[in-house]
């Protein structure tokens, strides 16, 4: 929408209309008492390429279509995306309970956690084989061996696997095991990596960057969708604010906001923002109550011995009770925990 200045002349208005039409868009003129506006209908990028800001008589431009076309709610005419991942549905009325260790540490740990979450109705198993660590001196994950252990856990429990990909060079090995590729918060704007996962037929869990706006998250999703991969889940995991009383500020308003902006399922990670386990349940229940399409939560069989993120891990002993409460709240919000179809 091109808003003309009150003093714009007829020649200036005609010149803008001609320029809009010159790039194959149609121009709809609306003359009011005070202002004239020109609606340009066509490709946003084509109109943008004209550089109409600052043209004679033009006051300002108001984009009507979202820059994230494929991710936008308009793209699906307001209908929510529901898709199947390893025999489980996610989105709409299907609540995804994704649980597992932060990091795959050993066979014993992985299988112990996998068994407990599977026995208590989890939808998928999470676990990192490649870990994004703030320090290069911290444990970086078991890599290939970790993927092998995830495969064993999948064969044993039947749970689809969610695991992080950090480096495009590992993509072949990761997609062999993963049902969902996790793109971590620190890689949300790694555009070549996003395009690369967009070219796979593996679903994607895209985490919101530490200081990313919702629009930036949706633009990142657009990179994946644009390559033809439609199964993208958005994940709110806490953002950096001025608050230092906890690790990150979990932005629960992102749930209804993203669901208004986009048709994609919205998953909440209740573990990384608190950074301590006693705040994980309240955040999980709050996320379910706010209408999230699922949660991805960290669970460990021996949290005190965990190599990574132990303080925030739910011990396996409490998982049954936890899952039961999440189920109740999700049901209040009109969703059922998704199981094998
Ligand atoms: C994780 O899921 O363990 C993780 C590292 O998450 P994030 O990328 O959100 O920090
Ligand atoms: Mn973690």
């Amino acid at each position: 929408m091109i808003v003309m200045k009150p003093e714009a002349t007829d020649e200036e208005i005609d010149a803008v209309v001609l320029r809009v039409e010159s790039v194959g868009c149609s121009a709809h003129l609306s003359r009011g008492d005070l202002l004239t506006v020109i609606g340009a209908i066509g490709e946003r990028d084509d109109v943008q390429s004209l550089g109409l800001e600052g043209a004679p008589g033009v006051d300002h431009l108001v984009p009507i279509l979202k820059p994230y076309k494929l991710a936008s709610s308009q793209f699906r005419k307001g209908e929510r995306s529901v898709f199947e991942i390893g025999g489980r549905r996610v989105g709409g009325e299907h609540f995804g309970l994704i649980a597992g260790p932060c990091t795959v540490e050993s066979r014993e740990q992985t299988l112990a956690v996998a068994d407990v979450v599977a026995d208590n109705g989890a939808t998928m198993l999470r676990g990192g084989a490649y870990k994004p660590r703030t320090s290069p001196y911290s444990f970086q994950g078991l890599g290939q061996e970790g993927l092998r252990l995830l495969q064993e856990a999948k064969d044993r429990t039947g749970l689809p696997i969610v695991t992080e990909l950090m480096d495009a060079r590992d993509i072949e090995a990761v997609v062999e095991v993963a049902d969902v590729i996790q793109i971590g918060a620190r890689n949300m704007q790694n555009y070549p990596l996003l395009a690369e996962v967009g070219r796979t037929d593996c679903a994607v869990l895209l985490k919101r960057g530490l200081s990313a706006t919702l629009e930036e998250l949706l633009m990142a999703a657009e990179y994946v969708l644009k390559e033809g991969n439609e199964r993208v889940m958005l994940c709110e995991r806490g953002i950096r604010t001025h608050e230092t009383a906890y690790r990150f500020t979990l932005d629960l308003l992102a749930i209804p906001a993203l669901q208004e902006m986009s048709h994609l399922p919205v998953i909440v990670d209740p573990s990384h923002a608190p950074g301590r386990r006693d705040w994980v349940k309240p955040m999980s229940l709050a996320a379910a109550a706010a209408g999230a399409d699922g949660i991805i939560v960290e669970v460990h069989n021996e949290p005190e011995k965990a190599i990574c993120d132990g303080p925030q891990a739910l011990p396996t002993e409490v998982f049954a009770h936890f899952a039961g409460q999440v189920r109740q709240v999700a049901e209040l919000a009109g969703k059922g925990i998704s199981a094998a179809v």
Side-chain angles (χ1 to χ4, degrees), residues 102-103 126 131 247 272 298 308-309 312:
C102 173
T103 306
R126 66 150 286 151
K131 293 305 298 179
R247 274 177 94 187
H272 288 86
E298 293 188 345
C308 180
D309 287 347
Q312 71 199 29

Side-chain angles (χ1 to χ4, degrees), residues 105-121:
E105 297 170 14
S106 68
R107 180 169 186 273
E108 192 209 350
Q109 170 243 17
T110 305
L111 300 184
V113 176
D115 285 349
V116 170
V117 303
D119 288 348
N120 291 289

Side-chain angles (χ1 to χ4, degrees), residues 3-143:
V3 182
M4 302 300 291
K5 289 181 175 150
E7 68 274 17
T9 65
D10 285 351
E11 290 72 36
E12 286 169 345
I13 292 168
D14 290 347
V16 171
V17 168
L18 280 176
R19 289 188 62 197
V20 167
E21 289 172 347
S22 75
V23 290
C25 297
S26 57
H28 296 259
L29 195 61
S30 154
R31 285 181 194 272
D33 284 346
L34 291 174
L35 285 179
T36 293
V37 299
I38 300 164
I41 308 209
E43 283 298 319
R44 181 191 162 110
D45 288 350
D46 291 340
V47 180
Q48 214 136 37
S49 71
L50 292 170
L52 287 170
E53 294 93 344
V58 172
D59 191 74
H60 63 281
L61 268 63
V62 185
I64 304 294
L65 274 185
K66 304 295 181 209
Y68 44 89
K69 194 160 61 181
L70 304 173
S72 72
S73 331
Q74 289 100 318
F75 185 72
R76 290 235 192 272
K77 305 195 166 44
E79 229 170 79
R80 308 224 40 80
S81 270
V82 177
F83 37 71
E84 207 172 298
I85 298 169
R88 275 82 176 158
R89 292 214 180 87
V90 178
E93 64 207 28
H94 310 279
F95 188 92
L97 174 58
I98 307 170
C102 173
T103 306
V104 175
E105 297 170 14
S106 68
R107 180 169 186 273
E108 192 209 350
Q109 170 243 17
T110 305
L111 300 184
V113 176
D115 285 349
V116 170
V117 303
D119 288 348
N120 291 289
T123 311
M124 298 182 210
L125 177 69
R126 66 150 286 151
Y130 297 95
K131 293 305 298 179
R133 302 305 300 277
T134 303
S135 165
Y137 304 110
S138 301
F139 176 64
Q140 305 288 307
L142 288 180

